[in-house]
PDB file of all heavy atoms in Angstrom:
ATOM      1  N   GLY A 712      26.730  -7.829 -21.144  1.00 73.00           N
ATOM      2  CA  GLY A 712      25.965  -9.051 -21.339  1.00 73.00           C
ATOM      3  C   GLY A 712      25.358  -9.559 -20.048  1.00 73.00           C
ATOM      4  O   GLY A 712      24.198  -9.983 -20.010  1.00 73.00           O
ATOM      5  N   GLU A 713      26.132  -9.495 -18.959  1.00 80.00           N
ATOM      6  CA  GLU A 713      25.608  -9.927 -17.668  1.00 80.00           C
ATOM      7  C   GLU A 713      24.491  -9.012 -17.190  1.00 80.00           C
ATOM      8  O   GLU A 713      23.491  -9.475 -16.616  1.00 80.00           O
ATOM      9  CB  GLU A 713      26.723  -9.968 -16.625  1.00 80.00           C
ATOM     10  CG  GLU A 713      27.757 -11.077 -16.857  1.00 80.00           C
ATOM     11  CD  GLU A 713      28.732 -10.745 -17.967  1.00 80.00           C
ATOM     12  OE1 GLU A 713      28.665  -9.596 -18.487  1.00 80.00           O
ATOM     13  OE2 GLU A 713      29.546 -11.605 -18.317  1.00 80.00           O
ATOM     14  N   MET A 714      24.647  -7.719 -17.434  1.00 83.00           N
ATOM     15  CA  MET A 714      23.598  -6.775 -17.060  1.00 83.00           C
ATOM     16  C   MET A 714      22.311  -7.056 -17.830  1.00 83.00           C
ATOM     17  O   MET A 714      21.214  -7.059 -17.260  1.00 83.00           O
ATOM     18  CB  MET A 714      24.059  -5.343 -17.312  1.00 83.00           C
ATOM     19  CG  MET A 714      25.162  -4.868 -16.399  1.00 83.00           C
ATOM     20  SD  MET A 714      25.760  -3.222 -16.857  1.00 83.00           S
ATOM     21  CE  MET A 714      24.254  -2.280 -16.773  1.00 83.00           C
ATOM     22  N   LEU A 715      22.445  -7.312 -19.134  1.00 83.00           N
ATOM     23  CA  LEU A 715      21.261  -7.572 -19.959  1.00 83.00           C
ATOM     24  C   LEU A 715      20.568  -8.856 -19.521  1.00 83.00           C
ATOM     25  O   LEU A 715      19.329  -8.933 -19.509  1.00 83.00           O
ATOM     26  CB  LEU A 715      21.657  -7.655 -21.430  1.00 83.00           C
ATOM     27  CG  LEU A 715      20.523  -7.883 -22.435  1.00 83.00           C
ATOM     28  CD1 LEU A 715      19.478  -6.779 -22.325  1.00 83.00           C
ATOM     29  CD2 LEU A 715      21.071  -7.966 -23.848  1.00 83.00           C
ATOM     30  N   SER A 716      21.352  -9.866 -19.146  1.00 84.00           N
ATOM     31  CA  SER A 716      20.754 -11.121 -18.687  1.00 84.00           C
ATOM     32  C   SER A 716      19.939 -10.912 -17.414  1.00 84.00           C
ATOM     33  O   SER A 716      18.837 -11.446 -17.272  1.00 84.00           O
ATOM     34  CB  SER A 716      21.852 -12.167 -18.440  1.00 84.00           C
ATOM     35  OG  SER A 716      22.559 -12.446 -19.639  1.00 84.00           O
ATOM     36  N   GLN A 717      20.475 -10.122 -16.488  1.00 86.00           N
ATOM     37  CA  GLN A 717      19.747  -9.860 -15.252  1.00 86.00           C
ATOM     38  C   GLN A 717      18.494  -9.030 -15.511  1.00 86.00           C
ATOM     39  O   GLN A 717      17.441  -9.257 -14.897  1.00 86.00           O
ATOM     40  CB  GLN A 717      20.661  -9.138 -14.260  1.00 86.00           C
ATOM     41  CG  GLN A 717      20.039  -8.909 -12.894  1.00 86.00           C
ATOM     42  CD  GLN A 717      19.642 -10.195 -12.215  1.00 86.00           C
ATOM     43  OE1 GLN A 717      20.400 -11.156 -12.213  1.00 86.00           O
ATOM     44  NE2 GLN A 717      18.452 -10.234 -11.643  1.00 86.00           N
ATOM     45  N   ILE A 718      18.590  -8.069 -16.423  1.00 87.00           N
ATOM     46  CA  ILE A 718      17.418  -7.249 -16.760  1.00 87.00           C
ATOM     47  C   ILE A 718      16.329  -8.113 -17.389  1.00 87.00           C
ATOM     48  O   ILE A 718      15.136  -7.957 -17.099  1.00 87.00           O
ATOM     49  CB  ILE A 718      17.830  -6.100 -17.692  1.00 87.00           C
ATOM     50  CG1 ILE A 718      18.715  -5.101 -16.941  1.00 87.00           C
ATOM     51  CG2 ILE A 718      16.603  -5.389 -18.257  1.00 87.00           C
ATOM     52  CD1 ILE A 718      19.310  -4.030 -17.834  1.00 87.00           C
ATOM     53  N   ARG A 719      16.724  -9.033 -18.250  1.00 87.00           N
ATOM     54  CA  ARG A 719      15.747  -9.935 -18.853  1.00 87.00           C
ATOM     55  C   ARG A 719      15.072 -10.806 -17.799  1.00 87.00           C
ATOM     56  O   ARG A 719      13.866 -11.072 -17.875  1.00 87.00           O
ATOM     57  CB  ARG A 719      16.432 -10.811 -19.903  1.00 87.00           C
ATOM     58  CG  ARG A 719      16.770 -10.080 -21.194  1.00 87.00           C
ATOM     59  CD  ARG A 719      17.594 -10.952 -22.107  1.00 87.00           C
ATOM     60  NE  ARG A 719      17.788 -10.337 -23.421  1.00 87.00           N
ATOM     61  CZ  ARG A 719      18.605 -10.817 -24.352  1.00 87.00           C
ATOM     62  NH1 ARG A 719      19.293 -11.934 -24.108  1.00 87.00           N
ATOM     63  NH2 ARG A 719      18.725 -10.199 -25.515  1.00 87.00           N
ATOM     64  N   LEU A 720      15.842 -11.246 -16.816  1.00 86.00           N
ATOM     65  CA  LEU A 720      15.257 -12.028 -15.733  1.00 86.00           C
ATOM     66  C   LEU A 720      14.247 -11.204 -14.936  1.00 86.00           C
ATOM     67  O   LEU A 720      13.195 -11.719 -14.533  1.00 86.00           O
ATOM     68  CB  LEU A 720      16.359 -12.542 -14.811  1.00 86.00           C
ATOM     69  CG  LEU A 720      17.231 -13.687 -15.339  1.00 86.00           C
ATOM     70  CD1 LEU A 720      18.339 -14.004 -14.346  1.00 86.00           C
ATOM     71  CD2 LEU A 720      16.394 -14.926 -15.604  1.00 86.00           C
ATOM     72  N   ASP A 721      14.565  -9.929 -14.711  1.00 89.00           N
ATOM     73  CA  ASP A 721      13.633  -9.064 -13.983  1.00 89.00           C
ATOM     74  C   ASP A 721      12.321  -8.896 -14.751  1.00 89.00           C
ATOM     75  O   ASP A 721      11.235  -8.924 -14.169  1.00 89.00           O
ATOM     76  CB  ASP A 721      14.280  -7.705 -13.725  1.00 89.00           C
ATOM     77  CG  ASP A 721      15.460  -7.802 -12.767  1.00 89.00           C
ATOM     78  OD1 ASP A 721      15.550  -8.816 -12.054  1.00 89.00           O
ATOM     79  OD2 ASP A 721      16.301  -6.877 -12.761  1.00 89.00           O
ATOM     80  N   ILE A 722      12.420  -8.698 -16.070  1.00 89.00           N
ATOM     81  CA  ILE A 722      11.203  -8.541 -16.882  1.00 89.00           C
ATOM     82  C   ILE A 722      10.396  -9.836 -16.880  1.00 89.00           C
ATOM     83  O   ILE A 722       9.165  -9.821 -16.720  1.00 89.00           O
ATOM     84  CB  ILE A 722      11.573  -8.135 -18.317  1.00 89.00           C
ATOM     85  CG1 ILE A 722      12.220  -6.746 -18.335  1.00 89.00           C
ATOM     86  CG2 ILE A 722      10.344  -8.135 -19.218  1.00 89.00           C
ATOM     87  CD1 ILE A 722      12.645  -6.292 -19.713  1.00 89.00           C
ATOM     88  N   ALA A 723      11.069 -10.975 -17.052  1.00 88.00           N
ATOM     89  CA  ALA A 723      10.368 -12.258 -17.062  1.00 88.00           C
ATOM     90  C   ALA A 723       9.712 -12.533 -15.715  1.00 88.00           C
ATOM     91  O   ALA A 723       8.604 -13.075 -15.653  1.00 88.00           O
ATOM     92  CB  ALA A 723      11.342 -13.375 -17.418  1.00 88.00           C
ATOM     93  N   SER A 724      10.384 -12.148 -14.630  1.00 86.00           N
ATOM     94  CA  SER A 724       9.806 -12.358 -13.304  1.00 86.00           C
ATOM     95  C   SER A 724       8.577 -11.490 -13.088  1.00 86.00           C
ATOM     96  O   SER A 724       7.564 -11.953 -12.546  1.00 86.00           O
ATOM     97  CB  SER A 724      10.855 -12.058 -12.233  1.00 86.00           C
ATOM     98  OG  SER A 724      10.309 -12.166 -10.939  1.00 86.00           O
ATOM     99  N   ALA A 725       8.645 -10.225 -13.512  1.00 88.00           N
ATOM    100  CA  ALA A 725       7.502  -9.333 -13.342  1.00 88.00           C
ATOM    101  C   ALA A 725       6.328  -9.740 -14.227  1.00 88.00           C
ATOM    102  O   ALA A 725       5.165  -9.611 -13.834  1.00 88.00           O
ATOM    103  CB  ALA A 725       7.913  -7.890 -13.632  1.00 88.00           C
ATOM    104  N   ALA A 726       6.621 -10.211 -15.438  1.00 88.00           N
ATOM    105  CA  ALA A 726       5.561 -10.612 -16.369  1.00 88.00           C
ATOM    106  C   ALA A 726       5.072 -12.029 -16.124  1.00 88.00           C
ATOM    107  O   ALA A 726       4.084 -12.453 -16.747  1.00 88.00           O
ATOM    108  CB  ALA A 726       6.058 -10.487 -17.806  1.00 88.00           C
ATOM    109  N   LYS A 727       5.762 -12.782 -15.256  1.00 87.00           N
ATOM    110  CA  LYS A 727       5.433 -14.188 -14.975  1.00 87.00           C
ATOM    111  C   LYS A 727       5.449 -15.025 -16.249  1.00 87.00           C
ATOM    112  O   LYS A 727       4.572 -15.851 -16.492  1.00 87.00           O
ATOM    113  CB  LYS A 727       4.091 -14.300 -14.259  1.00 87.00           C
ATOM    114  CG  LYS A 727       4.087 -13.689 -12.872  1.00 87.00           C
ATOM    115  CD  LYS A 727       2.855 -14.060 -12.077  1.00 87.00           C
ATOM    116  CE  LYS A 727       1.622 -13.417 -12.651  1.00 87.00           C
ATOM    117  NZ  LYS A 727       0.428 -13.655 -11.802  1.00 87.00           N
ATOM    118  N   MET A 728       6.478 -14.781 -17.072  1.00 88.00           N
ATOM    119  CA  MET A 728       6.660 -15.514 -18.312  1.00 88.00           C
ATOM    120  C   MET A 728       8.106 -15.985 -18.399  1.00 88.00           C
ATOM    121  O   MET A 728       9.017 -15.258 -17.995  1.00 88.00           O
ATOM    122  CB  MET A 728       6.314 -14.638 -19.526  1.00 88.00           C
ATOM    123  CG  MET A 728       4.866 -14.213 -19.604  1.00 88.00           C
ATOM    124  SD  MET A 728       4.537 -13.128 -21.013  1.00 88.00           S
ATOM    125  CE  MET A 728       4.961 -14.200 -22.387  1.00 88.00           C
ATOM    126  N   PRO A 729       8.368 -17.175 -18.934  1.00 86.00           N
ATOM    127  CA  PRO A 729       9.749 -17.644 -19.076  1.00 86.00           C
ATOM    128  C   PRO A 729      10.486 -16.892 -20.173  1.00 86.00           C
ATOM    129  O   PRO A 729       9.882 -16.297 -21.067  1.00 86.00           O
ATOM    130  CB  PRO A 729       9.581 -19.129 -19.415  1.00 86.00           C
ATOM    131  CG  PRO A 729       8.228 -19.216 -20.042  1.00 86.00           C
ATOM    132  CD  PRO A 729       7.383 -18.182 -19.369  1.00 86.00           C
ATOM    133  N   LEU A 730      11.811 -16.932 -20.103  1.00 85.00           N
ATOM    134  CA  LEU A 730      12.630 -16.265 -21.117  1.00 85.00           C
ATOM    135  C   LEU A 730      12.397 -16.850 -22.506  1.00 85.00           C
ATOM    136  O   LEU A 730      12.556 -16.154 -23.503  1.00 85.00           O
ATOM    137  CB  LEU A 730      14.106 -16.387 -20.743  1.00 85.00           C
ATOM    138  CG  LEU A 730      14.556 -15.663 -19.470  1.00 85.00           C
ATOM    139  CD1 LEU A 730      16.009 -15.977 -19.159  1.00 85.00           C
ATOM    140  CD2 LEU A 730      14.361 -14.165 -19.611  1.00 85.00           C
ATOM    141  N   THR A 731      12.013 -18.123 -22.558  1.00 84.00           N
ATOM    142  CA  THR A 731      11.756 -18.741 -23.854  1.00 84.00           C
ATOM    143  C   THR A 731      10.612 -18.056 -24.581  1.00 84.00           C
ATOM    144  O   THR A 731      10.656 -17.865 -25.798  1.00 84.00           O
ATOM    145  CB  THR A 731      11.434 -20.234 -23.659  1.00 84.00           C
ATOM    146  OG1 THR A 731      12.447 -20.834 -22.862  1.00 84.00           O
ATOM    147  CG2 THR A 731      11.344 -20.951 -24.987  1.00 84.00           C
ATOM    148  N   LYS A 732       9.575 -17.681 -23.854  1.00 85.00           N
ATOM    149  CA  LYS A 732       8.414 -17.034 -24.469  1.00 85.00           C
ATOM    150  C   LYS A 732       8.681 -15.564 -24.777  1.00 85.00           C
ATOM    151  O   LYS A 732       8.211 -15.047 -25.797  1.00 85.00           O
ATOM    152  CB  LYS A 732       7.211 -17.152 -23.536  1.00 85.00           C
ATOM    153  CG  LYS A 732       6.695 -18.562 -23.353  1.00 85.00           C
ATOM    154  CD  LYS A 732       6.050 -19.078 -24.623  1.00 85.00           C
ATOM    155  CE  LYS A 732       5.450 -20.449 -24.423  1.00 85.00           C
ATOM    156  NZ  LYS A 732       4.788 -20.954 -25.660  1.00 85.00           N
ATOM    157  N   LEU A 733       9.435 -14.878 -23.911  1.00 85.00           N
ATOM    158  CA  LEU A 733       9.634 -13.447 -24.084  1.00 85.00           C
ATOM    159  C   LEU A 733      10.733 -13.117 -25.082  1.00 85.00           C
ATOM    160  O   LEU A 733      10.563 -12.264 -25.948  1.00 85.00           O
ATOM    161  CB  LEU A 733       9.951 -12.806 -22.734  1.00 85.00           C
ATOM    162  CG  LEU A 733       8.771 -12.364 -21.873  1.00 85.00           C
ATOM    163  CD1 LEU A 733       9.260 -11.831 -20.542  1.00 85.00           C
ATOM    164  CD2 LEU A 733       7.932 -11.325 -22.576  1.00 85.00           C
ATOM    165  N   PHE A 734      11.873 -13.796 -24.945  1.00 84.00           N
ATOM    166  CA  PHE A 734      13.047 -13.418 -25.735  1.00 84.00           C
ATOM    167  C   PHE A 734      13.537 -14.537 -26.654  1.00 84.00           C
ATOM    168  O   PHE A 734      14.512 -14.343 -27.370  1.00 84.00           O
ATOM    169  CB  PHE A 734      14.202 -13.009 -24.802  1.00 84.00           C
ATOM    170  CG  PHE A 734      13.860 -11.856 -23.905  1.00 84.00           C
ATOM    171  CD1 PHE A 734      13.501 -12.078 -22.588  1.00 84.00           C
ATOM    172  CD2 PHE A 734      13.883 -10.548 -24.370  1.00 84.00           C
ATOM    173  CE1 PHE A 734      13.190 -11.021 -21.739  1.00 84.00           C
ATOM    174  CE2 PHE A 734      13.567  -9.496 -23.538  1.00 84.00           C
ATOM    175  CZ  PHE A 734      13.226  -9.731 -22.230  1.00 84.00           C
ATOM    176  N   GLY A 735      12.888 -15.695 -26.618  1.00 78.00           N
ATOM    177  CA  GLY A 735      13.332 -16.792 -27.464  1.00 78.00           C
ATOM    178  C   GLY A 735      14.625 -17.423 -27.010  1.00 78.00           C
ATOM    179  O   GLY A 735      15.329 -18.046 -27.814  1.00 78.00           O
ATOM    180  N   ILE A 736      14.979 -17.268 -25.726  1.00 75.00           N
ATOM    181  CA  ILE A 736      16.206 -17.840 -25.185  1.00 75.00           C
ATOM    182  C   ILE A 736      15.892 -19.228 -24.652  1.00 75.00           C
ATOM    183  O   ILE A 736      15.018 -19.390 -23.790  1.00 75.00           O
ATOM    184  CB  ILE A 736      16.789 -16.951 -24.068  1.00 75.00           C
ATOM    185  CG1 ILE A 736      17.073 -15.547 -24.615  1.00 75.00           C
ATOM    186  CG2 ILE A 736      18.045 -17.558 -23.487  1.00 75.00           C
ATOM    187  CD1 ILE A 736      17.547 -14.582 -23.557  1.00 75.00           C
ATOM    188  N   SER A 737      16.597 -20.231 -25.168  1.00 67.00           N
ATOM    189  CA  SER A 737      16.340 -21.597 -24.725  1.00 67.00           C
ATOM    190  C   SER A 737      16.791 -21.784 -23.293  1.00 67.00           C
ATOM    191  O   SER A 737      17.749 -21.161 -22.828  1.00 67.00           O
ATOM    192  CB  SER A 737      17.076 -22.589 -25.632  1.00 67.00           C
ATOM    193  OG  SER A 737      18.470 -22.337 -25.599  1.00 67.00           O
ATOM    194  N   ALA A 738      16.084 -22.644 -22.570  1.00 56.00           N
ATOM    195  CA  ALA A 738      16.395 -22.899 -21.179  1.00 56.00           C
ATOM    196  C   ALA A 738      17.653 -23.745 -21.058  1.00 56.00           C
ATOM    197  O   ALA A 738      17.974 -24.545 -21.938  1.00 56.00           O
ATOM    198  CB  ALA A 738      15.219 -23.597 -20.486  1.00 56.00           C
ATOM    199  N   ALA A 739      18.387 -23.564 -19.970  1.00 56.00           N
ATOM    200  CA  ALA A 739      19.603 -24.313 -19.704  1.00 56.00           C
ATOM    201  C   ALA A 739      19.428 -25.117 -18.430  1.00 56.00           C
ATOM    202  O   ALA A 739      18.641 -24.763 -17.555  1.00 56.00           O
ATOM    203  CB  ALA A 739      20.805 -23.376 -19.580  1.00 56.00           C
ATOM    204  N   GLY A 740      20.183 -26.205 -18.314  1.00 49.00           N
ATOM    205  CA  GLY A 740      20.105 -27.024 -17.113  1.00 49.00           C
ATOM    206  C   GLY A 740      19.465 -28.375 -17.391  1.00 49.00           C
ATOM    207  O   GLY A 740      19.091 -28.704 -18.523  1.00 49.00           O
ATOM    208  N   PHE A 741      19.327 -29.171 -16.340  1.00 48.00           N
ATOM    209  CA  PHE A 741      18.806 -30.529 -16.496  1.00 48.00           C
ATOM    210  C   PHE A 741      17.304 -30.542 -16.765  1.00 48.00           C
ATOM    211  O   PHE A 741      16.783 -31.472 -17.347  1.00 48.00           O
ATOM    212  CB  PHE A 741      19.108 -31.339 -15.233  1.00 48.00           C
ATOM    213  CG  PHE A 741      20.574 -31.558 -15.014  1.00 48.00           C
ATOM    214  CD1 PHE A 741      21.267 -30.802 -14.089  1.00 48.00           C
ATOM    215  CD2 PHE A 741      21.271 -32.510 -15.739  1.00 48.00           C
ATOM    216  CE1 PHE A 741      22.622 -30.999 -13.886  1.00 48.00           C
ATOM    217  CE2 PHE A 741      22.622 -32.711 -15.547  1.00 48.00           C
ATOM    218  CZ  PHE A 741      23.302 -31.958 -14.617  1.00 48.00           C
ATOM    219  N   SER A 742      16.595 -29.513 -16.303  1.00 52.00           N
ATOM    220  CA  SER A 742      15.137 -29.510 -16.481  1.00 52.00           C
ATOM    221  C   SER A 742      14.729 -29.178 -17.899  1.00 52.00           C
ATOM    222  O   SER A 742      13.609 -29.446 -18.302  1.00 52.00           O
ATOM    223  CB  SER A 742      14.504 -28.484 -15.523  1.00 52.00           C
ATOM    224  OG  SER A 742      14.945 -27.174 -15.838  1.00 52.00           O
ATOM    225  N   SER A 743      15.643 -28.553 -18.681  1.00 55.00           N
ATOM    226  CA  SER A 743      15.369 -28.183 -20.082  1.00 55.00           C
ATOM    227  C   SER A 743      14.130 -27.312 -20.215  1.00 55.00           C
ATOM    228  O   SER A 743      13.411 -27.382 -21.206  1.00 55.00           O
ATOM    229  CB  SER A 743      15.222 -29.445 -20.952  1.00 55.00           C
ATOM    230  OG  SER A 743      16.408 -30.201 -20.919  1.00 55.00           O
ATOM    231  N   GLY A 744      13.852 -26.515 -19.211  1.00 57.00           N
ATOM    232  CA  GLY A 744      12.741 -25.579 -19.282  1.00 57.00           C
ATOM    233  C   GLY A 744      11.400 -26.164 -18.918  1.00 57.00           C
ATOM    234  O   GLY A 744      10.380 -25.480 -19.068  1.00 57.00           O
ATOM    235  N   GLU A 745      11.332 -27.415 -18.458  1.00 71.00           N
ATOM    236  CA  GLU A 745      10.054 -28.042 -18.129  1.00 71.00           C
ATOM    237  C   GLU A 745       9.349 -27.296 -16.996  1.00 71.00           C
ATOM    238  O   GLU A 745       8.144 -27.054 -17.048  1.00 71.00           O
ATOM    239  CB  GLU A 745      10.277 -29.506 -17.739  1.00 71.00           C
ATOM    240  CG  GLU A 745      10.775 -30.385 -18.875  1.00 71.00           C
ATOM    241  CD  GLU A 745       9.725 -30.599 -19.943  1.00 71.00           C
ATOM    242  OE1 GLU A 745       8.538 -30.465 -19.621  1.00 71.00           O
ATOM    243  OE2 GLU A 745      10.087 -30.890 -21.090  1.00 71.00           O
TER     244      GLU A 745
END
C-alpha cells in the first residue's frame, strides 16, 4: 500500500495533476485539496 501511494504521487507529479483528478483520492489535511 505504501509503495502504491508513492507510485501514485510520482505519476501525479509527472502529469502535474492532483490525485483527486487522476485516481479519485480525496485530499487530506487542513487545506482540503484547495
Side-chain angles (χ1 to χ4, degrees):
E713 291 77 6
M714 291 175 57
L715 182 58
S716 299
Q717 184 60 45
I718 292 173
R719 286 173 173 172
L720 287 176
D721 293 342
I722 295 179
S724 176
K727 294 192 291 186
M728 296 178 62
L730 294 175
T731 309
K732 293 291 184 179
L733 273 177
F734 301 100
I736 301 176
S737 59
F741 294 102
S742 63
S743 300
E745 294 291 337

